[in-house]
Amino acid sequence: MKRIYLDHAATTPLLPEVINTMSTVMTDHYGNPSSIHHHGRSAKNLIEQARKAIALELSASVGEIFFCSSATEAHNMILHQAVAHLAVKNIITTPLEHHCILHTVQHLEKQHNINVHYVHVDQNGLIDYEHLQELISNNDHCLVSIMHVNNELGVINDIQRISEMCAATDSIFHCDTVQAIGKIKIDLEATPMAFMAGSAHKFNGPKGVGFFYMNSDFIIPPIFHGGAQERNMRAGTENVIGIAGMAKALELAEAHRDERAAHIQQLNEHLINSLSQELDDIKINGAQRIDNIISVSFPPSPKSDLLIFNLDISGISCSSGSACSSGIENDSHVMQAIQHPTERKAIRFSLSHLNTMDEIDYLIESLKKFTPVANSAHA
Ligand code: PLP
């Protein structure tokens, strides 16, 4: 049975070019980058090339990019150390952030003398920017942690507007850019932030490697000790293979961004049109969305409770939301925050340039077996 992968917001497959790059590093550049001999220098050189490529892509300085194991690690470090060392007293965030932000913020609220404020969001997952402005203006020493693209709904937040609001009030802007990197151009000169982070496995790079950007005006100390790697910011021997693979994956994503986006847009339109024509009472969750993430709300029906399971045994992999929370019976925190009706079933289909129109057709045919079809589709 052919398997169809529609869970690219959870993770993506490695591209052949990325595998080639990584395999060359594995065989030829196995030195420890901290060693001063030839083998060490050649590994170190790869890391510095990757840093340069990522910095260039984001219009950042080379010295502002640091490698680490994941976006979860990066966001934990940034939030912990900003509270401890940048005099943060108020964290302003949204109820729609990834758990690596929300749970960390909740932990910090218990451990430190800080207040956490949640910006109102509407039923489409859109932020109330006036409420955000009010929160920023009425509190001092604020850190604003708001994501660029929501991983469950695909909603794109206006990071330019948030960046300007933060700059005007001397608030610290921290952005979870994980779902945007490689898909939406991020220019840190035009859209200043204090911190942001990315994760290679979301853009066809390897798992277990990520990076963060730390603006040179907002220096925080490391949480790991015992190694001078990453200019003392992240102790531990670098994942040279992963870092080189991540830089290659990002280079490919940037080089092919427009053609990938055009293909994904066609898939998105075909999926949304077919869903509304062929199936009954379908709603698309969220507004102002990126094309690759489509959260669909299905009406209650005897088989829709087991929809993900049924699609899986039909050969289709998709999920109900964040991979870290999959398997939970109830609606995710994101669906709860947008007041998605609990009797309906929300499923996220997340696409990539690797998907085809035929795969979308197969998905629609499979869905018709498990969820009510539109009256016109019976004919
Ligand atoms: N932030 C968002 C929006 C995500 O989608 C994810 C991954 O699911 C993360 C953070 C965590 O990334 P990582 O897998 O690198 O820890």
Side-chain angles (χ1 to χ4, degrees):
M1 177 176 65
K2 178 175 162 29
R3 290 223 54 109
I4 297 177
Y5 187 70
L6 299 176
D7 203 13
H8 292 90
T11 196
T12 53
L14 288 170
L15 295 178
E17 297 93 324
V18 176
I19 296 174
N20 280 343
T21 298
M22 290 168 66
S23 102
T24 308
V25 179
M26 272 188 253
T27 47
D28 298 346
H29 302 277
Y30 49 84
N32 185 324
S34 297
S35 303
I36 53 169
H37 48 61
H38 163 81
H39 287 84
R41 289 198 309 276
S42 97
K44 178 82 174 163
N45 192 26
L46 285 177
I47 296 178
E48 294 317 316
Q49 277 175 23
R51 197 187 316 281
K52 210 166 154 188
I54 293 174
L56 193 70
E57 184 43 47
L58 299 170
S59 305
S61 300
V62 177
E64 295 174 317
I65 303 295
F66 301 88
F67 296 118
C68 59
S69 72
S70 63
T72 300
E73 178 193 325
H75 290 312
N76 266 269
M77 177 198 159
I78 292 163
L79 290 167
H80 273 91
Q81 300 301 68
V83 167
H85 299 278
L86 296 181
V88 170
K89 295 269 174 291
N90 291 281
I91 296 184
I92 299 172
T93 188
T94 82
L96 307 178
E97 303 302 306
H98 189 271
H99 275 157
C100 73
I101 305 284
L102 283 181
H103 288 176
T104 307
V105 163
Q106 285 155 11
H107 171 80
L108 290 167
E109 189 179 24
K110 280 193 212 132
Q111 301 282 316
H112 296 264
N113 189 21
I114 56 157
N115 299 309
V116 178
H117 312 264
Y118 296 93
V119 184
H120 298 155
V121 294
D122 71 11
Q123 293 187 354
N124 281 317
L126 298 177
I127 294 174
D128 179 343
Y129 289 93
E130 271 156 34
H131 185 225
L132 171 60
Q133 182 64 67
E134 217 177 279
L135 288 171
I136 296 181
S137 309
N138 292 344
N139 294 286
D140 52 11
H141 300 283
C142 292
L143 178 141
V144 176
S145 183
I146 296 185
M147 68 200 326
H148 192 175
V149 173
N150 184 274
N151 52 303
E152 291 196 37
L153 300 167
V155 171
I156 306 171
N157 291 322
D158 187 346
I159 57 166
Q160 185 64 36
R161 191 167 171 188
I162 301 171
S163 167
E164 284 167 19
M165 282 181 184
C166 288
T169 50
D170 280 337
S171 299
I172 299 170
F173 181 25
H174 164 225
C175 190
D176 178 359
T177 49
V178 165
Q179 294 289 346
I181 289 174
K183 298 178 187 80
I184 301 178
K185 171 84 186 150
I186 297 174
D187 178 342
L188 291 165
E189 262 175 30
T191 313
M193 301 172 188
F195 305 102
M196 59 161 275
S199 182
H201 72 106
K202 305 290 184 178
F203 49 87
N204 304 103
K207 294 164 185 56
V209 59
F211 70 90
F212 62 91
Y213 160 83
M214 177 171 73
N215 184 307
S216 48
D217 292 338
F218 297 90
I219 303 288
I220 49 175
I223 41 174
F224 291 178
H225 300 277
Q229 291 88 354
E230 295 300 285
R231 298 182 312 290
N232 290 313
M233 274 305 292
R234 207 284 189 169
T237 302
E238 300 90 333
N239 176 356
V240 188
I241 302 158
I243 291 169
M246 172 162 68
K248 183 69 188 173
L250 189 58
E251 178 198 317
L252 291 168
E254 300 303 340
H256 300 286
R257 186 172 36 226
D258 292 348
E259 76 206 56
R260 287 185 187 179
H263 179 65
I264 292 169
Q265 187 188 8
Q266 286 179 343
L267 296 172
N268 169 297
E269 278 169 18
H270 184 48
L271 174 55
I272 291 181
N273 289 341
S274 310
L275 284 168
S276 56
Q277 282 160 18
E278 308 265 346
L279 301 176
D280 189 33
D281 191 16
I282 291 296
K283 293 193 176 65
I284 307 298
N285 297 311
Q288 294 173 22
R289 299 180 308 265
I290 196 164
D291 283 337
N292 65 304
I293 299 179
I294 301 147
S295 168
V296 184
S297 172
F298 291 92
S301 82
K303 288 187 181 164
S304 68
D305 266 357
L306 292 174
L307 205 45
I308 291 184
F309 174 74
N310 282 325
L311 288 174
D312 192 18
I313 55 176
S314 306
I316 299 168
S317 298
C318 58
S319 65
S320 60
S322 169
C324 327
S325 317
S326 55
I328 53 168
E329 289 293 317
N330 301 330
D331 264 351
S332 69
H333 69 284
V334 172
M335 291 302 149
Q336 288 176 26
I338 63 162
Q339 295 166 37
H340 179 258
T342 47
E343 68 281 7
R344 296 177 66 92
K345 183 88 190 153
I347 298 200
R348 176 185 70 183
F349 301 107
S350 47
L351 315 174
S352 86
H353 62 284
L354 301 169
N355 290 122
T356 64
M357 289 291 192
D358 285 350
E359 291 179 337
I360 302 297
D361 288 338
Y362 182 74
L363 167 67
I364 299 292
E365 287 314 307
S366 307
L367 283 169
K368 281 160 77 174
K369 295 185 203 147
F370 308 120
T371 181
V373 292
N375 279 337
S376 53
H378 282 297

